Amino acid sequence: MYAGSRRHPARLLPALIAAGTLLTACGSGDASQTDQPAAKVTVTPTPGNTSAKLGSEISVRADGGKLTSVEVKDDKGVTVAGRLAGDGASWKSDGKVKPQTTYTVRTKTKSTQGKEASATSKFTTERADKVNKLTNTPGGGQTVGTGMPVSILFDHPVAKDRRADIEKALKVTTQPKVQGAWGWVKDYSGKDRIDWRPKDYWPAGTKVSVKGALSGINSGDDGGWFARDYNFGFKIGADHKAVIDVPSHTLTMYENGKNVGSISGSAGSPQDPTRGGVHTVRSKNAAETMDSATIGHGSEWMLDSKWVTHLTASGTFLHSAPWNKSIGVENNSHGCFGMTTSDAKRAYDFLTIGSTVEVKGTTNTNKTDVGNGLEVWQESWEQWQQRSALTH
């Protein structure tokens, strides 16, 4: 019994040696895999940079393998959109870097030998001497009339040689699809503006989305850099229009092309005829003081009016004119269309921001400048298209 017990370890020894040989072989295989080189990742701008140049794109390249994942975020946690090349060897951002922003780049790679690796790097962009901002009309979420353009007003000037890049970064998407084009405008305030108008009036119910991938684009030495992207949308409401027939002193309202009522009024006198063509309602005010100085008539009058619908920035309005005893009989205003207070409210309630008002039969032959309000319908479609920076 004891002898058998003493022989037992001797019989197990070859098995233990064999097992030890197998473990060594497996360990040798893991070490070999670990020694394989990982794919080399190059990030531009250079990681660690604290003043990366504005206007740069973010790019990532893998040598000796491919990128399996790229994630880039700014210091507010916003993900930077980009595209991975079909072969997986490179990635490039859709836009350009923003001023004074820290970006974190996280990558995952797989080498040609199959080794997987991950890495994280950061860089910070330089500060912009001047930042350009914009104000969009209509505001996000609004419901507007069928003549409303997309209008973008810039805080600072936009150099002519920068306009094409800015225009390319702006995108209008509609449902249903509507043909339209961007056009550069000088606003009545003197600031630069770009508007998008449809070829024809919007169909009622259209949903409109506007995106501007402007961050990191330079608008010129006098304008500065854009520091953010923009994204807003609005909806086209009911089809409400009005037509003013100057000789008959009448404003007629149309809903979906159907006459829904007329209003008597008083248009501009022969000395101050009402501006002709198609105007877009740009704003409204329930009560307002009409000041003659604002339309070049000095201090001749200052009158309180109600239910004021603004057409041009220079002072062509629809409004109540209780002081006028010639409504429906004589055109004797200084360019506006005056009505009784009750009729002015009817027009005010019927016409939404973005509705159109066409003036016919006026003796005013002066063309209203597009920037004098939202006057995009003062030009034909062919004329409008020539305002695009991409056509020159």
Side-chain angles (χ1 to χ4, degrees), residues 290-304:
M290 314 300 286
D291 186 349
S292 58
T294 62
I295 58 171
H297 281 269
S299 56
E300 291 182 30
W301 73 85
M302 190 171 286
L303 301 167
D304 291 331

Side-chain angles (χ1 to χ4, degrees), residues 122-267:
K122 293 185 179 184
F123 65 87
T124 302
T125 58
E126 63 185 344
R127 184 179 182 276
D129 292 333
K130 184 183 288 185
V131 172
N132 208 344
K133 299 178 182 179
L134 62 83
T135 302
N136 56 272
T137 301
Q142 280 191 290
T143 297
V144 294
T146 56
M148 188 72 185
V150 177
S151 187
I152 293 175
L153 183 69
F154 299 97
D155 277 5
H156 301 303
V158 177
K160 288 187 177 180
D161 62 351
R162 306 287 183 176
R163 292 183 176 183
D165 285 345
I166 292 170
E167 192 172 327
K168 288 176 185 176
L170 297 168
K171 184 178 181 180
V172 175
T173 305
T174 67
Q175 185 183 3
K177 188 174 182 179
V178 174
Q179 182 182 3
W182 290 104
W184 289 89
V185 177
K186 182 65 69 174
D187 188 73
Y188 192 71
S189 65
K191 292 184 176 182
D192 287 330
R193 202 176 93 194
I194 186 171
D195 291 356
W196 192 97
R197 58 155 276 194
K199 180 180 178 181
D200 302 305
Y201 298 131
W202 295 103
T206 303
K207 295 180 180 179
V208 186
S209 172
V210 184
K211 292 184 179 181
L214 294 173
S215 61
I217 294 180
N218 186 5
S219 61
D221 293 340
D222 294 332
W225 296 83
F226 293 101
R228 55 162 291 197
D229 293 334
Y230 292 83
N231 186 357
F232 63 96
F234 58 94
K235 184 179 178 180
I236 305 301
D239 179 22
H240 286 187
K241 299 181 176 72
V243 176
I244 295 173
D245 183 72
V246 173
S248 66
H249 325 293
T250 303
L251 179 150
T252 303
M253 296 174 289
Y254 295 89
E255 183 172 1
N256 299 320
K258 181 181 178 181
N259 185 331
V260 293
S262 295
I263 293 171
S264 294
S266 179

Side-chain angles (χ1 to χ4, degrees), residues 43 45-50 102-106 120-124:
V43 176
T46 307
N49 196 336
T50 57
T102 298
Y103 291 90
T104 301
V105 182
R106 293 183 173 89
T120 300
S121 61
K122 293 185 179 184
F123 65 87
T124 302

Side-chain angles (χ1 to χ4, degrees), residues 346-391:
R346 283 178 64 198
Y348 182 98
D349 290 341
F350 180 76
L351 295 167
T352 60
I353 305 299
S355 294
T356 58
V357 178
E358 184 175 6
V359 177
K360 294 182 175 181
T362 181
T363 60
N364 193 333
T365 59
N366 295 326
K367 175 189 171 184
T368 302
D369 187 77
V370 174
N372 186 3
L374 301 173
E375 297 291 275
V376 297
W377 303 103
Q378 294 285 332
E379 295 184 343
S380 68
W381 174 240
E382 290 70 27
Q383 289 172 323
W384 178 258
Q385 288 177 295
Q386 293 305 307
R387 290 181 171 272
S388 168
L390 304 179
T391 61

